[in-house]
Amino acid sequence: MSEISYSYIVEYIRALHTPPASSVLLEIEKKIAHEIEHWPIIKPEVADFMKVLLSLVKPSQILEIGTAVGYSSILMSDCLDKNGHITTIERFPHMADQAKANIKNAKLQDKITLLEGDAVQLLPTLNDESYDVIFMDCAKGQYIHFLPECKRLLKNGGLLITDNVLHKGTVARSRYLIDRRQRTTHSRLREFLWTITHTPDFTSSVIPIGDGIALSYKTGGNMND
Ligand code: SAH
Ligand code: MG
């Protein structure tokens, strides 16, 4: 259970989550709810929040860093503008294989392209200012290193959504209270959050739902120009 909010509030909000229409998404949610699988997918309240957000943005190009089994990709595909497309990156072959099967079962091969490999190598191969939305949901310690690439790849007026930025609430604690092995992630996440909230390139907001998400609007123009 999340340590970001009171657990009774989280439980209440999760009970309001409507089961998805997609049978593939439903199956993934069921396996997680029954603890048959422990895939690290977005929390139900984050899924609902993303759907509202993306319905407002109506993106035509989305980049996702961290596919896992394809849950968030399939969820986001519902909010694409017509002829819209999602590119998603996954480095762990075991996850990528499951994502491919799920994307195929959901008949979304035309809308979702899975790039297999490490984002460190793949992000530099993508073109400048190509995406309306980037969903960054990979290794938390890498967020600060991927930020310049996210800035380069986003259109002006585009939106960077970053998941797990509060790391079970530990980010808000003093580094001296953090387990030694977690201190690097703690300081890199703090550096990431400080940077996105203090750079003129982005207007950002940190939201304590799920495991913490950050919304960063890339300033400098209108999405349509
Ligand atoms: N977005 C998914 C969950 C992603 S979990 C969802 O909500 O449904 C994070 C995934 O990112 C893991 O599968 C992990 O293998 C992958 N990952 C972590 N760092 C990565 C990197 N540098 N490049 C590519 N994939 C990465
Ligand atoms: Mg996540």
Side-chain angles (χ1 to χ4, degrees), residues 2-65:
S2 162
E3 296 169 41
I4 286 169
S5 177
Y6 293 107
S7 54
Y8 77 99
I9 298 178
V10 175
E11 272 170 39
Y12 174 73
I13 298 174
R14 284 192 188 165
L16 294 171
H17 173 72
T18 318
S22 152
S23 59
V24 176
L25 293 184
L26 193 63
E27 202 53 36
I28 297 173
E29 286 190 6
K30 276 189 188 160
K31 284 186 176 157
I32 287 174
H34 296 117
E35 299 192 355
I36 297 166
E37 297 283 359
H38 296 275
W39 296 311
I41 68 166
I42 45 170
K43 304 290 179 229
E45 62 275 23
V46 173
D48 292 337
F49 183 73
M50 299 257 296
K51 273 171 74 176
V52 175
L53 204 57
L54 295 181
S55 300
L56 288 168
V57 177
K58 293 185 194 67
S60 48
Q61 295 293 332
I62 299 179
L63 172 67
E64 176 178 67
I65 313 172

Side-chain angles (χ1 to χ4, degrees), residues 113-186:
T113 302
L114 176 66
L115 303 180
E116 290 181 63
D118 198 306
V120 173
Q121 275 88 44
L122 290 170
L123 291 176
T125 67
L126 304 174
N127 293 330
D128 292 5
E129 302 189 11
S130 304
Y131 301 94
D132 306 296
V133 168
I134 298 179
F135 180 43
M136 180 152 68
D137 189 17
C138 53
K140 292 176 276 291
Q142 293 183 308
Y143 291 171
I144 185 68
H145 306 306
F146 290 164
L147 187 59
E149 282 297 83
C150 290
K151 187 188 142 198
R152 179 181 71 77
L153 295 167
L154 268 183
K155 295 180 192 172
N156 285 334
L159 181 68
L160 170 65
I161 307 171
T162 310
D163 195 29
N164 309 96
V165 293
L166 294 177
H167 197 192
K168 301 186 173 84
T170 56
V171 167
R173 297 192 186 280
S174 156
R175 75 178 260 110
Y176 300 105
L177 296 173
I178 304 298
D179 190 276
R180 213 164 267 283
R181 285 164 304 176
Q182 295 291 334
R183 284 198 188 157
T184 308
T185 308
H186 178 268

Side-chain angles (χ1 to χ4, degrees), residues 185-199:
T185 308
H186 178 268
S187 58
R188 286 186 183 164
L189 272 176
R190 279 197 167 193
E191 192 186 346
F192 173 76
L193 291 174
W194 198 91
T195 306
I196 57 168
T197 50
H198 290 79
T199 164

